[in-house]
Amino acid sequence: NQGCTVRQVSKPERKPRGVGSAAMVAEDPAPGSSALQKGFALLEHLIAADRALTLAELVAGMDMPKATVHRLLITLEAAQLLKRDLSGKRYVPSDRLTRFSLRAVVFAARMSPILANLERLVAEIGESVNLGVLAGSSVAYVQRVECNWPLRTHLSAGSRVPLHCTATGKLFLALMPVARAPADP
């Protein structure tokens, strides 16, 4: 304390680095946020883009330094939450992230009023009822309530079945644009 003074220096605010459409811009993490928050913001931004993005495109769309984005990409790739596309230059969500997301949807469906509605529908029509989503070339069952018939197919929520093997999948195929239909069902 002998003649020393302490000054607090504030960090200058950084300006956003890129301009993107409202649909592509994920919520930026707050300054000083954790690496986990930044990683989730990066994943949200990539998924909102609806296409593979390069490091430069991610840096332009995020309010983070290039070194931070690069470090996050390496970490997310090592955790198998992201992978590179065939060119090796663009990043896409990995199969692990897709499975994790589907499990989160299944969990949310179990906790929602959807299950009660499906059970009511099964009681009313006497048949099994499925709630499924398109997952690549498969139907992923988000929720399923089976009837009490002695012969039935048992599939649990989270199961995946090729599109051509289920009525739900055939419905997806019938309504899908030809360009999106899988080559080998």
Side-chain angles (χ1 to χ4, degrees):
N1 289 343
Q2 299 176 4
C4 291
T5 59
V6 178
R7 284 188 337 200
Q8 223 175 352
V9 179
S10 63
K11 285 185 178 179
E13 278 191 42
R14 281 187 288 144
K15 305 251 192 274
R17 294 177 181 233
V19 178
S21 69
M24 272 190 58
V25 178
E27 196 172 310
D28 289 332
S33 62
S34 72
L36 183 60
Q37 290 170 311
K38 290 176 182 176
F40 268 104
L42 189 129
L43 288 172
E44 287 175 335
H45 183 76
L46 179 66
I47 291 168
D50 206 25
R51 65 182 180 87
L53 296 176
T54 63
L55 170 63
E57 291 170 322
L58 286 164
V59 169
M62 303 291 296
D63 187 20
M64 290 187 244
K66 181 178 181 180
T68 301
V69 173
H70 186 255
R71 186 175 59 251
L72 289 169
L73 288 170
I74 290 170
T75 303
L76 292 168
E77 194 174 11
Q80 299 177 342
L81 296 172
L82 289 181
K83 64 182 180 181
R84 294 179 196 229
D85 69 356
L86 295 176
S87 74
K89 296 180 181 183
R90 296 179 183 275
Y91 293 89
V92 296
S94 70
D95 296 336
R96 181 180 185 198
L97 182 60
T98 304
R99 286 189 310 271
F100 176 80
S101 301
L102 180 59
R103 282 190 219 115
V105 169
V106 168
F107 177 81
R110 279 190 211 124
M111 300 300 154
S112 75
I114 292 172
L115 182 59
N117 288 327
L118 294 179
E119 288 170 343
R120 184 180 47 77
L121 189 56
V122 167
E124 186 179 315
I125 65 173
E127 294 291 337
S128 296
V129 177
N130 305 307
L131 175 61
V133 295
L134 183 62
S137 61
S138 301
V139 172
Y141 290 111
V142 173
Q143 192 54 268
R144 181 176 163 85
V145 178
E146 292 189 20
C147 64
N148 288 325
W149 289 98
L151 295 174
R152 60 182 182 254
T153 304
H154 178 72
L155 294 169
S156 59
S159 299
R160 293 172 74 135
V161 179
L163 290 173
H164 68 280
C165 295
T166 68
T168 304
K170 290 174 184 172
L171 181 62
F172 280 129
L173 286 169
L175 299 175
M176 186 181 296
V178 175
R180 272 199 72 204
D184 283 325

